[in-house]
């Protein structure tokens, strides 16, 4: 797949061939869904907790004798049917994480990138650099490249240039910076446009190719 490479002004500077293995792979919706659900499940903390009758305070003695009072027999004031009693069949800490083979995760990423490419929602950029972290400047660049769409900006790695861009873009709600080796299905499908500089494209092709 041959696509145009543009600069930060949106002008074509050259063309580049995108890897067919990554950007023209079969689109497998069920695989992308599985990868998305796995990622969301792995983000859950699972720290929810309620106290059972053995954990609430009080209730160490029998509230009244077994017979002769005319009242129903009771063993503890912390039984579940008492106010302040323990809870039954309620959430306890658990691990929600799901496993997915690496080959399937990579196949899901290739499928998502191919879906984006087929809808012409990927912009290949020659490079992006800022002299200083100015939010207005990065906002204008993204508007030039993607209009009013939300943007996922893929960076090749952590360096001084990417840190400046991150500081400039950090408080823009419709723009997210993501390192190429952290590419994931949730972010790919969660933003309307994906902007990939050539340096980040090399990282993606070496990882997914």
């Amino acid at each position: 797949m041959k696509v145009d490479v543009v600069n930060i002004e949106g002008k074509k500077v050259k063309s580049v061939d995108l890897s067919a293995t990554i950007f023209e792979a079969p689109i497998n919706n069920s695989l992308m869904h599985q990868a998305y659900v796995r990622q969301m499940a792995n983000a859950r903390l699972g720290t929810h907790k309620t106290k059972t009758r053995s954990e609430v305070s009080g209730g160490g003695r029998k509230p009244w004798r077994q017979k002769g009072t005319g009242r129903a027999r009771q063993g503890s004031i912390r039984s579940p049917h008492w106010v302040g009693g323990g809870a039954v069949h309620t959430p306890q800490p658990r691990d929600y994480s799901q496993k997915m083979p690496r080959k399937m995760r990579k196949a899901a990423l290739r499928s998502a990138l191919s879906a984006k490419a087929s809808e012409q929602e990927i912009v290949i950029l020659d490079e992006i650099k800022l002299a200083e972290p100015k939010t207005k400047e990065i906002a204008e660049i993204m508007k030039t490249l993607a209009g009013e769409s939300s943007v996922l900006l893929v960076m090749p790695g952590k360096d001084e240039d990417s840190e400046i861009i991150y500081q400039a873009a950090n408080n823009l709600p419709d723009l997210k910076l993501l390192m190429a080796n952290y590419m994931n299905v949730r972010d790919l499908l969660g933003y309307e446009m994906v902007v990939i500089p050539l340096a980040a494209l090399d990282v993606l092709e070496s990882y997914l190719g």
Side-chain angles (χ1 to χ4, degrees), residues 83-163:
V83 174
V88 182
H89 305 311
T90 50
Q92 299 294 318
R94 56 166 291 191
D95 181 13
Y96 284 95
S97 64
Q98 300 179 11
K99 293 183 178 181
M100 189 175 183
R102 183 181 303 172
K103 287 185 177 180
M104 291 179 67
R105 298 199 303 267
K106 288 186 176 182
L109 285 175
R110 287 192 287 264
S111 183
L113 285 168
S114 298
K116 284 290 186 182
S118 66
E119 296 293 330
Q120 297 183 342
E121 293 177 352
I122 292 180
V123 176
I124 305 299
L125 193 63
D126 60 345
E127 65 175 357
I128 181 168
K129 291 183 179 179
L130 296 179
E132 50 186 318
K134 288 189 175 181
T135 300
K136 182 178 180 181
E137 188 173 347
I138 191 69
E140 289 176 351
I141 292 173
M142 292 301 113
K143 186 173 182 179
T144 300
L145 297 175
E148 300 296 330
S149 303
S150 59
V151 178
L152 177 66
L153 176 58
V154 184
M155 301 300 293
K158 291 185 177 180
D159 53 24
E160 186 177 347
D161 292 331
S162 64
E163 184 62 27

Side-chain angles (χ1 to χ4, degrees), residues 143-189:
K143 186 173 182 179
T144 300
L145 297 175
E148 300 296 330
S149 303
S150 59
V151 178
L152 177 66
L153 176 58
V154 184
M155 301 300 293
K158 291 185 177 180
D159 53 24
E160 186 177 347
D161 292 331
S162 64
E163 184 62 27
I164 292 175
I165 295 172
Y166 177 79
Q167 292 175 11
N170 193 33
N171 60 347
L172 291 175
D174 292 329
L175 172 62
K176 179 175 181 177
L177 263 66
L178 185 69
M179 299 304 159
N181 54 348
Y182 291 155
M183 182 65 73
N184 60 85
V185 171
R186 178 186 178 185
D187 286 329
L188 271 176
L189 301 181

Side-chain angles (χ1 to χ4, degrees), residues 28-39 42 97-109 185:
N28 189 328
N29 290 323
S30 61
L31 189 62
M32 288 190 291
H33 177 264
Q34 182 179 346
Y36 180 86
V37 170
R38 171 190 173 271
Q39 186 176 348
N42 290 356
S97 64
Q98 300 179 11
K99 293 183 178 181
M100 189 175 183
R102 183 181 303 172
K103 287 185 177 180
M104 291 179 67
R105 298 199 303 267
K106 288 186 176 182
L109 285 175
V185 171

Side-chain angles (χ1 to χ4, degrees), residues 17-28:
D17 288 318
L18 296 181
S19 171
T21 304
I22 301 173
F23 295 95
E24 295 181 73
I27 298 175
N28 189 328

Side-chain angles (χ1 to χ4, degrees), residues 37-53:
V37 170
R38 171 190 173 271
Q39 186 176 348
M40 297 298 289
N42 290 356
R44 298 184 68 175
L45 295 178
T47 54
H48 39 39
K49 175 75 169 71
T50 53
K51 291 184 177 181
T52 63
R53 63 181 294 168

